[in-house]
Amino acid sequence: HVQLAESGGGLVQPGGSLRLSCAASGFTLDYYATGWFRQAPGKERERVSCFEGSDGRTYYADSVKGRFTISGGSAKNTVYLQMNYLKPEDTAVYYCGTSWACSDGDGDFGSWGQGTQVTVSS
């Protein structure tokens, strides 16, 4: 059974940090691209970062570049999103999904987990 599970969200003050995890079961993330997406209330789902399992290349949305770091390729079959210098506008439910390549469109990503809530507030 192919499944992704996100974890690591929570409540953090502006300027704080969180590390999200996207753990896969039933398949190997090394063969896929793993994207982190977020959806805030009333807004569309937005891709914030992507990790190419085949070669480790990484991609970031301009809104998170320099603050977020995506990593993977671990023996734990997990892709991480380290989020630093968090802002209130980062508040959203964060999801991970997989596709063949980071160059694929957002609609090509699937195997979504249940999401993890990130709230940035003082």
Side-chain angles (χ1 to χ4, degrees):
H1 180 63
V2 173
Q3 190 172 8
L4 293 173
E6 303 94 339
S7 62
L11 172 64
V12 64
Q13 292 186 341
S17 299
L18 285 172
R19 189 177 80 155
L20 306 184
S21 299
C22 172
S25 58
F27 68 110
T28 302
L29 287 175
D30 288 351
Y31 300 132
Y32 299 91
T34 302
W36 276 102
F37 296 72
R38 65 187 181 188
Q39 188 165 21
K43 295 187 177 181
E44 293 189 355
R45 188 174 293 187
E46 170 194 21
R47 189 190 321 188
V48 297
S49 188
C50 192
F51 180 84
E52 292 277 15
S54 59
D55 59 14
R57 284 180 296 173
T58 58
Y59 303 88
Y60 300 94
D62 288 343
S63 58
V64 306
K65 201 170 292 183
R67 300 188 298 121
F68 290 11
T69 302
I70 193 170
S71 62
S74 73
K76 295 182 179 180
N77 203 25
T78 299
V79 170
Y80 302 95
L81 186 68
Q82 177 68 43
M83 305 188 297
N84 298 327
Y85 306 108
L86 283 162
K87 305 175 181 180
E89 50 264 43
D90 295 318
T91 295
V93 179
Y94 284 70
Y95 301 89
C96 60
T98 58
S99 188
W100 292 113
C102 289
S103 58
D104 291 346
D106 290 355
D108 293 322
F109 282 76
S111 301
W112 302 105
Q114 80 289 349
T116 185
Q117 176 70 48
V118 171
T119 303
V120 184
S121 175
S122 55

